């Protein structure tokens, strides 16, 4: 390793390369802290040419590499399997160019999601994909995971907003894919790279399209006695053909945690669930949509539907929604955030089953999720130092995923497969399906040196990442945790 | 001649009736003397496996409405047709999604979607078009401004590969990151990576109101069209140059502006009111987009048709330059697209070269613009890539093609860089 570290240091300087155990420790895991692996080194490139040289140095030393953004991923995607070199993109965080007339921006991958919308707001524009982690996560991470967010119901996920990419292949070759007008001749390679979890190369530049800030916004809060009725209301809204900007559900346990935290927004603590509905567009349309939605919610058992009175109240509702994961810290030292999707009409029966699974395993399970997309996030609060509880968390998670697949769903809607779910991939795909995916992988990365050990079912890589294989005692606690 | 042993093997896997020898049919210089039309997806996949192992190149055929797109095919002597596959079409009205067979006519999908209170995500301008064909070409018409691109509509696909494998990617749910997004890769791949056999599609909500307008406008037409395309509710916006316009609009002079709005009644009302203040002379014209389809898709409009993509601000310059150089021009500002039509005076390359020169002068690759020659007689394609793909992008695409189709049997020669 030391020869490689020397080579990396020569590229990025001593301050841009970490290799001691205590230095690389914070990069052992991402937001899924149950999985961990020690990086061979962590490097901080400043530009594309640094990335090229780093990737080439890795090739010369026969070592893999892992692109990394902010490490907020929830599926172990940024884990350095096989002692890979972590290529940390935080120094590449600039907005390179904005074209307000054509409505696009060209940015570096380390740019924080929320900073992009902030940078283009003066032009009356915004970047639509808004993961709840948007104050920290990066555009590069978003591209790799094809991230969504509450407003993807109307605006689509990251893939619907990326026009072009610059990518450094594991050979060190730089390719530019797509174009600023969103159409380029040949295969849709941009579409193939978005969502590929860093396994096809390092994204070093992203051209995204920007949306005009909506003329008007209406935010509603439907108050329900239970989460199943809230899900039924979502099904009815979808069936009616209405396309709100967002349809998000928080259940009772989530509301309690949020209201006891700094994100408190005055949500009714006695509600079984709230449905946060956002509409945007021209004012005359909003009024009618608001009434139609209110009628649907009331018919499905809402006790009332409140309307955010002003921008402040709207922001409070959203801070509560987006801060919900953080607020869960009150329920236990650890949080397992699940992510699966079912057809929306199946939400009521699946959510009931998910709650039943949580109860049966004696777990603190709460739900805060992108209901309009059928994208569930059952969250389990626990304490990893209790091996029996951890066992139950993992077993419940397994059952939840199988329940979603049985309902016609999939095992991840936005967090990705990473190391977390690669052994569930066979619930969805056949050998032949994996064969097709491997063809794509080989075309970009024939030696599988870009982010090995992800997406595809387990191989020799990363057995250490699995908490079952590692032994619970070795699962590291994050800095600052009890 | 295709050798007898190959024919026997094809008949064994696809069934006697599915393998039809016929007089040679021409397509862009290829002579096709065999049509294989399997009746099941299993048979189709097995047929592909046989063709790959025997290195028998195929041209994939859906409804046959758009076979002319692409470079000259290389060596193909047989059609592989989806026409005999079952036209599956199941609409899930609760979800607003549909499971559709590749051979299902796009028009049938539209009818089924309407029956369930939804709308198809695709235009149905040609009764022959199949869902497989629409997805394979990913080339859409004027209404894709409102309907969205084909790549957004496709949620999941079943694809038969040249290896003979039947594969799936994506699924029926509307949000999904489980594994690579191969759906995006196959959509628009022109049948060169695999044969699409089934799709899960996202339907569009039924609009409460739909209203179209058309009328002649002055030189301000382009700017007006751009503004109209950015209004809420805009579903199709095009500006047709005066000369071409005469074919579909009897009255007046000047460019023809076509605007169609769809959506909630108040949105459409507001959009119409805006349009009336800006272009009072526009009349309601419910069939305007239908007539536009007829004009821009008809082979009789012109011998050569180019599709130019450019960021909107550059589109207007391209439109004017092409106009000055004698092309018929239709610009869709909301789609960042201009169609340029050229007639040929003689069957030699002089006119074709001149047309390419005019197009290249109007297209600035440094701003992300490019052009493809979508329609042309076979001989006019000789010696060039009709997709005009930049050389730098080709090596990766070639590698990809050879990974998916190592024997080169799927539409060989057709795609970018004669892949
Ligand atoms: C140049 C062009 C312009 C267009 N303009 C418009 C428009 O203005 N409005 C509009 O509504 N639509 C438009 N379309 C879309 C058009 O409706 C579809 O392309 C459709 O007609 C093709 O369907 P088809 O079944 O007739 O395909 P075919 O004509 O049979 O085949 C077209 C191409 O797709 C391939 N293909 C067909 N089926 C499959 C399959 N199952 N798997 C893999 N490959 C397959 C073929 O090999 C061929 O290369 C346009 C398409 C093209 C190519
Ligand atoms: C509290 C919280 C809320 C969240 N809410 C949402 C949500 O609403 N929606 C959602 O979709 N996700 C959500 N996430 C998950 C996570 O934030 C997203 O997956 C995000 O896109 C990860 O970005 P990152 O910069 O942190 O990437 P990382 O975690 O560092 O990496 C994620 C993946 O991206 C790859 N990658 C990073 N940079 C590059 C690059 N330059 N080139 C190639 N590959 C790269 C990595 O290799 C890895 O596979 C949430 C996470 C948390 C902790």
């Amino acid at each position: 390793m030391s020869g490689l570290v020397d080579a990396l240091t020569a590229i990025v300087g001593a301050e841009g390369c970490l290799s001691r155990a205590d230095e690389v420790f914070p990069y052992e895991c991402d937001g899924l802290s149950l999985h961990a692996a020690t990086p061979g080194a962590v490097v901080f490139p400043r530009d594309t040419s640094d990335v090229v040289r780093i990737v080439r140095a890795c090739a010369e030393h026969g070592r893999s590499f892992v692109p990394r953004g902010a490490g907020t991923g929830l599926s172990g995607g940024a884990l350095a399997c096989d002692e890979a070199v972590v290529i940390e993109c935080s120094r590449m965080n600039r907005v390179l160019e904005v074209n307000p007339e054509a409505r696009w921006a060209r940015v570096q991958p380390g740019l924080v999601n929320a900073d992009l919308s902030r940078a283009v707001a003066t032009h009356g524009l915004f970047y639509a994909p808004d993961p709840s982690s948007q104050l920290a996560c990066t555009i590069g991470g978003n591209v790799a995971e094809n991230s969504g967010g509450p407003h993807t119901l109307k605006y689509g996920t990251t893939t619907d907003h990326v026009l072009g990419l610059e990518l450094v292949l594991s050979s060190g070759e730089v390719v530019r894919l797509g174009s600023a007008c969103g159409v380029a001749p040949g295969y849709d390679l941009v579409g193939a790279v978005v969502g590929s979890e860093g396994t096809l190369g390092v994204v070093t530049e992203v051209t995204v399209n920007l949306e005009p800030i909506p003329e008007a916004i209406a935010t509603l809060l439907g108050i329900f006695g239970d989460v199943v009725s809230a899900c039924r209301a979502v099904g009815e809204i979808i069936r009616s053909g209405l396309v709100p900007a967002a349809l998000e559900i928080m259940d009772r346990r989530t509301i309690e945690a949020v209201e006891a935290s700094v994100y408190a927004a005055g949500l009714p603590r006695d509600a079984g669930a709230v449905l946060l509905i956002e509409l945007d567009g021209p004012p005359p349309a909003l009024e009618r949509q608001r009434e139609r939605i209110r009628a649907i919610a009331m018919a499905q058992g809402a006790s009332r539907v409140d309307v955010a009175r002003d921008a402040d109240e709207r922001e409070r509702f959203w801070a509560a929604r987006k801060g919900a994961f953080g607020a869960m810290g009150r329920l236990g030292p650890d949080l397992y955030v699940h992510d699966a999707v079912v057809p929306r009409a199946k939400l009521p029966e699946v959510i009931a089953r998910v709650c039943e699974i949580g109860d049966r395993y004696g777990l603190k399970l709460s739900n805060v999720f992108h209901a309009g997309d059928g994208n569930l996030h059952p969250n389990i609060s626990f304490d990893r130092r209790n091996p029996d509880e951890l066992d139950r968390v993992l077993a419940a998670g397994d059952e939840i995923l199988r329940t979603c697949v049985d309902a016609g769903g999939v095992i991840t809607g936005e967090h990705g497969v990473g190391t977390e779910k690669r052994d569930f991939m066979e619930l969805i795909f056949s050998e032949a399906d994996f064969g097709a995916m491997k063809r794509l992988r080989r075309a970009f990365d024939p030696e599988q040196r870009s982010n090995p050990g992800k997406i595809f079912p387990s191989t020799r890589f990363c057995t250490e990442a699995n908490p079952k294989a590692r032994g619970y005692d070795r699962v590291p606690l994050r800095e600052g945790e009890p | 001649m295709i050798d007898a042993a190959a024919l026997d093997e094809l008949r064994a896997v696809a069934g006697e009736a599915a393998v039809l020898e016929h007089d040679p049919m021409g397509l862009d210089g290829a002579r096709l003397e065999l049509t294989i039309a399997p009746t099941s997806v299993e048979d189709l996949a097995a047929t592909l496996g046989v063709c790959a192992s025997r290195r028998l190149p195929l041209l994939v055929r859906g409804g046959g409405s758009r076979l002319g797109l692409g470079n000259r095919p290389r060596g193909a002597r047989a059609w592989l047709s989806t026409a005999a596959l079952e036209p599956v079409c199941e609409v899930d009205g609760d979800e607003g999604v549909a499971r559709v067979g590749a051979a299902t006519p796009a028009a049938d999908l539209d009818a089924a979607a309407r029956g369930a209170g939804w709308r198809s995500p695709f235009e149905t301008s040609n009764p022959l078009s199949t869902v497989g064909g629409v997805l394979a070409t990913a080339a859409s018409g004027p209404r894709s401004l409102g309907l969205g691109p084909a790549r957004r509509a496709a949620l999941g696909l079943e694809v038969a590969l040249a290896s003979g494998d039947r594969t799936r990617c994506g699924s029926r749910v509307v949000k999904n990151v489980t594994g690579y997004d191969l759906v995006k890769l196959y959509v628009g791949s022109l049948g060169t990576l695999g044969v699409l056999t089934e799709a899960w599609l996202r339907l569009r909500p039924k609009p409460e109101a739909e209203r179209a307008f058309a009328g002649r406008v002055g030189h301000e037409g382009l700017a007006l069209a751009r503004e109209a395309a950015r209004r809420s509710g805009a579903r199709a916006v095009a500006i047709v140059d005066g000369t071409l316009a005469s074919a579909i609009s009897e009255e007046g002079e000047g460019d023809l502006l076509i605007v169609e709005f769809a959506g909630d009644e108040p949105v459409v009302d507001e959009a119409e009111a805006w349009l009336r203040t800006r272009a009072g002379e526009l009349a309601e014209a419910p069939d305007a987009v239908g007539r536009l389809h007829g004009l821009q898709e008809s082979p009789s409009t012109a011998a050569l048709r180019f599709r130019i993509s450019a960021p909107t601000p550059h589109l207007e310059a391209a439109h004017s330059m092409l106009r000055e150089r004698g092309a018929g021009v239709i610009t869709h500002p909301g789609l960042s697209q201009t169609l340029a039509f050229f007639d040929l005076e003689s069957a030699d390359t002089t006119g074709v070269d001149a047309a390419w020169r005019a197009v290249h002068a109007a297209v600035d690759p440094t701003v992300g613009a490019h052009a493809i020659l979508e329609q042309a007689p076979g001989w006019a394609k000789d010696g060039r890539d009709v997709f005009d793909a930049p050389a730098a992008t080709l090596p990766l695409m070639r590698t990809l093609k050879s990974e998916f189709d190592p024997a080169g049997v799927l539409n060989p020669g057709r795609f970018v860089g004669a892949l």
Side-chain angles (χ1 to χ4, degrees):
Chain A
M1 193 62 173
S2 73
L4 175 56
V5 169
D6 290 346
L8 296 172
T9 306
I11 298 165
V12 289
E15 76 292 351
C17 178
L18 310 176
S19 59
R20 287 200 323 265
D22 60 323
E23 289 175 332
V24 301
F25 174 71
Y27 301 91
E28 277 200 334
C29 61
D30 61 7
L32 174 74
S33 59
L34 279 183
H35 287 204
T38 309
V42 182
V43 278
F44 299 79
R46 292 153 296 202
D47 54 25
T48 303
S49 73
D50 277 356
V51 175
V52 169
R53 293 164 70 202
I54 292 165
V55 164
R56 292 216 166 112
C58 289
E60 277 156 26
H61 289 80
R63 179 126 337 229
S64 308
F65 58 88
V66 189
R68 183 176 171 110
T72 67
L74 290 169
S75 58
L79 234 69
C81 294
D82 214 23
E83 285 185 82
V85 169
V86 171
I87 301 180
E88 216 271 10
C89 299
S90 60
R91 281 178 170 185
M92 295 174 67
N93 64 350
R94 281 183 302 133
V95 176
L96 299 170
E97 193 182 353
V98 178
N99 186 329
E101 182 56 29
R103 294 181 176 166
W104 54 256
R106 194 163 57 84
V107 307
Q108 290 185 310
L111 180 70
V112 169
N113 173 298
D115 289 348
L116 175 52
S117 284
R118 219 170 280 140
V120 298
T122 49
H123 302 294
L125 300 170
F126 75 111
Y127 176 61
D130 60 338
S132 304
S133 52
Q134 71 187 139
L135 293 176
C137 69
T138 65
I139 298 295
N142 296 171
V143 166
E145 301 289 10
N146 186 15
S147 298
H151 291 84
T152 47
L153 175 58
K154 174 169 176 180
Y155 290 95
T157 55
T158 302
T159 191
D160 300 308
H161 298 273
V162 178
L163 304 172
L165 292 172
E166 183 185 77
L167 184 75
V168 177
L169 302 180
S170 57
S171 60
E173 189 192 337
V174 181
V175 290
R176 298 194 72 93
L177 312 173
S179 82
C181 60
V183 208
Y187 301 120
D188 181 1
L189 298 183
V190 170
V193 170
V194 176
S196 63
E197 304 194 14
T199 62
L200 301 184
V202 187
V203 172
T204 47
E205 221 180 87
V206 189
T207 305
V208 296
N209 80 291
L210 304 168
E211 299 284 340
I213 293 172
E215 283 174 68
I217 300 176
T219 307
L220 285 69
L221 197 66
I223 317 294
F224 289 85
D226 59 87
V227 69
V228 174
S229 321
C231 286
R232 268 197 212 106
V234 168
E236 285 303 317
I237 292 169
I238 299 298
R239 203 193 328 266
S240 76
L242 283 162
V243 187
L247 277 178
E248 302 279 308
I249 288 181
M250 288 187 263
D251 70 359
R252 184 194 300 268
R253 206 171 249 151
T254 308
I255 297 169
E256 279 168 7
V258 166
E259 286 304 312
S261 77
V262 293
Y263 304 109
L267 303 177
R269 286 177 183 239
D270 55 345
V274 294
L275 172 58
L276 184 58
I277 304 150
E278 191 148 282
L279 303 165
D280 69 17
L286 291 199
E287 210 166 302
R288 292 190 19 168
Q289 288 178 11
R290 205 165 59 196
E291 288 321 305
R292 283 177 70 189
I293 284 188
R294 187 197 295 274
I296 292 173
M298 296 305 283
Q300 294 306 317
S303 57
R304 59 176 209 273
V305 178
D306 297 340
V307 180
R309 281 174 300 244
D310 50 28
D312 274 356
E313 191 167 39
R314 168 176 183 260
E315 267 161 38
R316 272 207 307 281
F317 286 164
W318 279 112
R321 164 61 188 90
K322 294 192 174 179
F325 291 137
M328 304 285 180
R330 316 187 70 82
L331 302 179
D334 292 292
L335 182 68
Y336 201 124
V337 181
H338 274 286
D339 168 43
V341 188
V342 296
R344 286 143 318 174
K346 294 277 176 68
L347 275 176
E349 66 180 77
V350 172
I351 200 82
R353 183 105 164 82
V354 164
C355 294
E356 181 270 318
I357 292 169
D359 290 346
R360 182 150 42 78
Y361 283 96
L363 296 168
K364 271 181 266 172
L365 184 146
S366 53
N367 292 284
V368 45
F369 60 105
H370 311 303
D373 291 316
N375 189 180
L376 294 166
H377 287 323
N379 303 309
I380 307 178
S381 303
F382 68 104
D383 184 342
R384 82 181 76 172
R385 291 164 300 189
N386 175 346
D388 166 63
E389 190 177 27
L390 179 55
D391 258 343
R392 283 181 283 125
V393 169
L394 297 175
D398 186 308
E399 244 186 81
I400 288 169
L401 289 183
R402 288 173 199 275
T403 301
C404 293
V405 172
D406 289 346
V410 296
I411 58 172
T412 169
E414 55 179 21
H415 295 167
V417 178
T419 52
E420 182 201 13
K421 287 182 177 154
R422 64 199 163 129
D423 290 330
F424 291 92
M425 288 286 273
E426 282 154 327
L427 292 180
I428 308 269
F429 295 116
S430 69
E431 259 320 298
D433 301 339
F434 289 123
M437 290 186 216
K438 284 177 184 161
R439 290 172 203 271
L440 172 67
R441 174 78 187 264
R442 279 198 300 266
F444 281 79
D445 179 24
E447 290 166 29
Q448 300 177 43
R449 287 194 305 97
S450 189
N451 208 2
K454 312 295 157 66
I455 302 181
F456 295 97
S458 305
T459 58
R460 67 186 174 82
F461 289 119
C462 250
T463 40
E464 69 169 314
N466 182 325
K468 283 282 189 195
R470 291 163 50 90
Y472 308 133
D473 52 325
R474 287 191 47 229
V475 178
L477 285 170
R478 289 192 131 183
E479 277 174 302
E481 283 185 2
Chain B
M1 283 290 288
I2 293 168
D3 74 71
L7 283 174
D8 286 346
E9 201 178 346
L10 288 169
R11 291 198 170 102
V13 296
E16 198 71 33
V19 181
L20 181 73
E21 288 179 277
H22 45 69
D23 290 339
M25 293 160 69
L27 178 72
D28 281 352
R31 286 167 66 80
L32 300 125
E33 58 206 43
L34 185 73
T35 296
I36 314 163
T39 54
S40 72
V41 175
E42 291 80 6
D43 291 356
L44 186 143
T47 302
L48 278 175
V50 170
C51 292
S53 67
R54 291 190 166 269
R55 297 193 174 262
L56 177 66
L58 299 162
L59 289 185
V60 182
R61 186 186 172 107
S65 70
R66 284 286 180 189
L67 290 168
L69 178 64
N71 292 306
R72 290 235 206 202
R74 200 170 43 231
R77 297 217 304 274
W79 293 110
L80 177 61
S81 167
T82 61
L85 296 177
E86 203 190 331
V88 180
C89 188
E90 295 168 9
V91 171
D92 178 345
D94 287 345
E95 244 348 73
V97 301
R99 179 177 154 247
V100 197
T104 304
D108 291 6
L109 167 64
D110 193 44
R114 281 170 189 267
W118 293 83
R119 289 288 185 270
S120 167
F122 304 137
E123 286 174 89
T124 41
S125 57
N126 188 318
L128 295 176
S129 295
T130 63
V131 167
V134 173
L135 291 170
T137 58
S140 39
R143 287 196 175 116
S144 53
L145 173 61
L147 295 173
R151 81 197 281 278
R152 176 124 200 239
L155 300 170
L157 289 177
E158 186 184 73
V159 181
L161 300 185
S163 57
D165 286 323
R166 285 178 66 178
T167 63
R168 288 182 167 276
C169 53
S171 89
R172 56 165 299 168
V173 294
V174 297
K175 193 172 176 195
N176 183 6
V177 296
T178 313
Y180 292 139
D181 192 353
L182 295 180
V183 173
K184 300 287 185 298
L185 193 64
Y186 294 127
V187 171
S189 66
L190 206 68
T192 58
L193 298 179
V195 178
L196 316 183
T197 54
E198 195 180 291
W200 276 103
L201 301 173
R202 187 202 301 264
L203 301 175
R204 300 287 309 175
K206 168 177 174 255
E208 210 176 30
E210 302 169 274
R211 243 167 276 162
F213 305 86
R216 302 283 185 149
V217 288
H219 61 276
E220 77 292 354
L222 267 173
L224 188 57
R226 167 151 50 119
E227 259 189 272
R230 288 190 165 174
R231 300 287 310 179
S232 266
R235 184 164 69 182
V237 176
I239 187 111
V240 184
D241 85 67
T243 318
L244 266 186
S246 309
I248 54 167
S249 157
E250 310 73 36
E251 291 151 30
E253 284 174 12
D255 290 352
L256 178 70
L257 175 63
I258 295 173
V259 181
E260 188 176 74
F261 296 116
D264 286 359
E265 197 84 52
V267 174
V268 174
D269 286 346
E270 199 181 60
E272 177 179 351
W274 169 83
L275 190 64
R276 297 227 175 270
T277 63
R278 299 301 307 277
E281 62 277 26
L282 259 55
E284 207 160 332
D287 62 340
V289 175
R291 281 190 285 158
L292 179 62
H293 270 138
L295 176 67
Q296 63 178 40
E297 292 185 51
S298 164
S300 63
T301 301
L304 305 181
R305 184 184 60 204
F306 292 85
R307 185 177 298 236
I308 290 137
S309 302
T312 313
H314 300 273
L315 215 53
E316 291 170 19
H319 179 104
S320 307
M321 278 179 82
L322 287 159
R323 193 72 206 98
E324 279 160 26
R325 291 183 175 236
V329 185
I330 303 176
T331 288
H332 300 272
L335 304 177
S336 300
Q337 265 178 22
T338 289
L339 299 175
F341 299 83
F342 293 86
D343 269 322
L344 292 175
E345 276 163 20
S346 56
D348 62 40
T349 58
T350 330
V352 183
D353 292 343
W356 271 112
R357 274 198 303 278
V359 166
H360 281 148
V363 166
D364 177 2
T366 63
V367 299
H370 84 274
I372 69 172
L373 176 55
E374 284 190 330
Q375 186 176 292
W379 60 264
K381 299 178 177 183
D382 278 339
R384 14 178 128 244
D385 175 9
V386 299
F387 296 95
D388 208 23
T393 61
L394 290 178
L396 196 51
M397 294 200 194
R398 281 207 187 98
T399 314
L400 198 62
K401 166 74 176 170
S402 64
E403 280 291 345
F404 278 82
D405 179 19
V409 293
L410 286 165
N411 286 351
R414 264 332 227 171
F415 206 31
V416 283
L419 278 178

